[in-house]
Amino acid sequence: MKRHVMAVRIAIWSCVAICGAGAAFAADWPHWRGPSHDDRSSEPSGWTGSRWPVEKKWTAEVGEGASSPIVAKGKLYALGWKDGRDRLVCLDAANGQEIWAQSYHAPQYGRHSAGDKGLYRGVSATPALDADAGLLFTVGIDGELVCWNADDGREAWRLNLYDTFRAGQRPDVGGRRGGQGRRDYGYTSSPLVQGETLIVEAGSPEGALIALDKRTGKKQWASEAREEAGHSGGPVPIAVEGVPCVAVLALRNLLVVRTDGANAGKTVATFPWTTDFANNIPTPAVSGHSLIVTSAYNQFAICRVDVSLNGAKEVWRTKDVASGVCSPIVHDGRIYWAWQGVHCVDFATGKELWHGGSVGAAGSCILTADDRLIVWADRGDLLLAETAKRSPARYTELARLRRIGDADAWPHVVLASGRLYCRDRAGRLTCLAIGGE
């Protein structure tokens, strides 16, 4: 009898261990803006009710740039620039130890670079992982698109977006005298995996968006819309009346494009949105058939756009608040972002409900499963704040850790398996365990 009970206990604990291992990977962060492309995490913040236990686990130098790391199945991937090369590293996410690394010759700036060279240099686009296929996709600032084997770093295929699709320099869309408003930061958009297809924002005469076979790099389709790329983090999936589409904030317009079968590449909606200094940077946020788009400078506003197969309709536009860099999060009837403070806006009306906190231009945020915001901002500040669920009328900051990094916090913060991964523009990557382990 004792032997039988012990066998049952062993079987139960084996099952728990296996299930636990699966759960640890359930909250992976495999591409730009996380599992659902919306900065919403299924993990809690780690707040105990009275304190935020955060422990530094390791640091690593991964090269210069605004590209954020991604994490999947216990591995972290990061792309950075150093000494004339783009370098892709695969690290053990638990201890920061290098598993493999690859590099290739690359310039510090894109070939058509113009303006703000002290702020944007090195790699900007975040890698994308297709875990099922075991493929990892990276885009360098000069358009080098490479498909890697995620397990060992072997190269599967590559092409250069400039060379292949003939994208030129972004024009001075603000029309300032002598081209003084011209900005071109090279390729900043993360590629997007959709089934067997890899979608990239080429911003070329062949198409604003180009779809490639993810296994071979062979072109599958191009969007009807032919427009220069914006400077956002990349295209995002959206379903319009049940039809699979992608949305992207290009240089002059918010574009919504079909991705289904023979209709792939056809334009569903075009919504004008042009910003001085090519400042179309925040990635549009998707909520059902709605898109939230925002920018600063002359187009200082945040706007809700509802999309149907017949086009796009503006629902509201608020010109009192905006985000110049941070991509907004839509959750439970509210919109959140961190740029010139942390903001909360009503999704239905566009009315600002509250804002506060010391946050400047550099910043990104994550919504946690326990309805809190984790913000990575400025020159390495990490803060935790309440959402409107517990603080409907005012900004409430629970905790702040200062100067975790050494440079601007342009790269997006990542939350995976109870750990935060914070990278600064100079390439310092810090891993922090939250809530105790």
Side-chain angles (χ1 to χ4, degrees):
M1 182 67 179
K2 286 182 180 179
R3 222 177 260 179
H4 174 71
V5 171
M6 182 62 70
V8 170
R9 286 177 178 170
I10 291 171
I12 290 172
W13 280 111
S14 297
C15 180
V16 169
I18 292 169
C19 293
F25 297 142
D28 286 346
W29 197 275
H31 40 64
W32 173 241
R33 302 198 74 198
S36 302
H37 303 277
D38 57 7
D39 281 331
R40 289 154 52 116
S41 174
S42 61
E43 298 194 32
S45 66
W47 178 248
T48 67
S50 59
R51 65 189 186 92
W52 195 29
V54 176
E55 180 185 357
K56 182 186 289 187
K57 288 297 182 180
W58 54 263
T59 62
E61 298 297 330
V62 296
E64 189 175 51
S67 171
S68 63
I70 59 172
V71 179
K73 296 184 178 179
K75 295 179 180 178
L76 178 145
Y77 304 91
L79 183 65
W81 182 91
K82 185 178 181 181
D83 298 332
R85 302 185 72 82
D86 283 347
R87 185 169 185 266
L88 174 65
V89 295
C90 173
L91 307 179
D92 186 312
N95 57 33
Q97 295 299 306
E98 184 176 298
I99 298 172
W100 57 256
Q102 294 282 14
S103 70
Y104 57 85
H105 176 74
Q108 190 176 22
Y109 302 97
R111 65 188 64 180
H112 300 310
S113 175
D116 294 340
K117 291 192 176 184
L119 294 175
Y120 294 88
R121 57 179 182 261
V123 183
S124 286
T126 294
L129 176 70
D130 185 334
D132 292 336
L135 298 176
L136 178 69
F137 304 93
T138 61
V139 177
I141 198 76
D142 195 50
E144 199 72 7
L145 169 62
V146 188
C147 172
W148 313 87
N149 183 298
D151 289 332
D152 58 18
R154 285 181 295 110
E155 183 181 313
W157 57 264
R158 77 161 62 199
L159 59 84
N160 186 278
L161 297 174
Y162 281 123
D163 296 339
T164 306
F165 302 117
R166 301 174 291 112
Q169 188 178 52
R170 292 171 176 87
D172 179 6
V173 289
R176 293 172 179 265
R177 176 179 285 184
Q180 293 178 7
R182 187 190 299 274
R183 295 292 185 274
D184 194 315
Y185 306 142
Y187 278 97
T188 67
S189 290
S190 177
L192 174 67
V193 180
Q194 295 281 273
E196 291 299 306
T197 300
L198 182 74
I199 300 173
V200 292
E201 187 183 9
S204 79
E206 293 191 36
L209 297 173
I210 302 286
L212 308 169
D213 184 304
K214 71 180 183 183
R215 299 182 190 275
T216 66
K218 183 179 179 181
K219 180 179 171 182
Q220 292 185 331
W221 54 261
S223 64
E224 291 177 333
R226 292 167 171 81
E227 181 178 333
E228 299 90 350
H231 282 123
S232 77
V236 290
I238 179 173
V240 180
E241 298 180 34
V243 174
C245 301
V246 293
V248 66
L249 187 57
L251 188 64
R252 297 178 178 85
N253 297 282
L254 172 67
L255 303 175
V256 182
V257 175
R258 293 181 68 146
T259 61
D260 58 315
N263 292 308
K266 291 183 178 179
T267 301
V268 170
T270 301
F271 186 78
W273 198 275
T274 305
T275 310
D276 283 358
F277 307 105
N279 187 247
N280 281 357
I281 293 175
T283 302
V286 176
S287 179
H289 66 288
S290 299
L291 288 160
I292 300 298
V293 60
T294 182
S295 63
Y297 295 98
N298 65 308
Q299 193 70 272
F300 190 96
I302 184 166
C303 180
R304 175 180 162 187
V305 179
D306 283 1
V307 183
S308 72
L309 293 179
N310 295 318
K313 177 184 178 182
E314 182 176 317
V315 179
W316 50 256
R317 183 182 301 232
T318 300
K319 296 184 177 181
D320 298 329
V321 292
S323 177
V325 177
C326 182
S327 302
I329 299 171
V330 182
H331 170 66
D332 198 20
R334 303 289 185 264
I335 306 166
Y336 302 95
W337 71 91
W339 186 79
Q340 307 298 347
V342 181
H343 300 261
C344 174
V345 165
D346 183 76
F347 177 77
T349 66
K351 178 183 177 182
E352 185 173 49
L353 303 177
W354 50 252
H355 79 272
S358 177
V359 173
S364 57
C365 55
I366 294 172
L367 177 84
T368 63
D370 55 340
D371 260 279
R372 294 186 171 97
L373 295 170
I374 295 174
V375 177
W376 170 239
D378 299 329
R379 293 184 63 85
D381 286 2
L382 187 68
L383 63 93
L384 181 68
E386 295 284 15
T387 65
K389 180 176 182 177
R390 298 183 187 84
S391 188
R394 64 184 179 88
Y395 171 75
T396 301
E397 188 169 301
L398 299 172
R400 179 183 289 259
L401 289 78
R402 296 188 182 275
R403 298 305 297 269
I404 292 170
D406 297 323
D408 294 322
W410 291 129
H412 200 296
V413 63
V414 166
L415 173 60
S417 300
R419 294 190 173 198
L420 287 169
Y421 299 91
C422 303
R423 177 181 178 178
D424 65 24
R425 184 169 59 85
R428 185 176 180 82
L429 175 64
T430 303
C431 170
L432 304 161
I434 57 174
E437 290 190 303

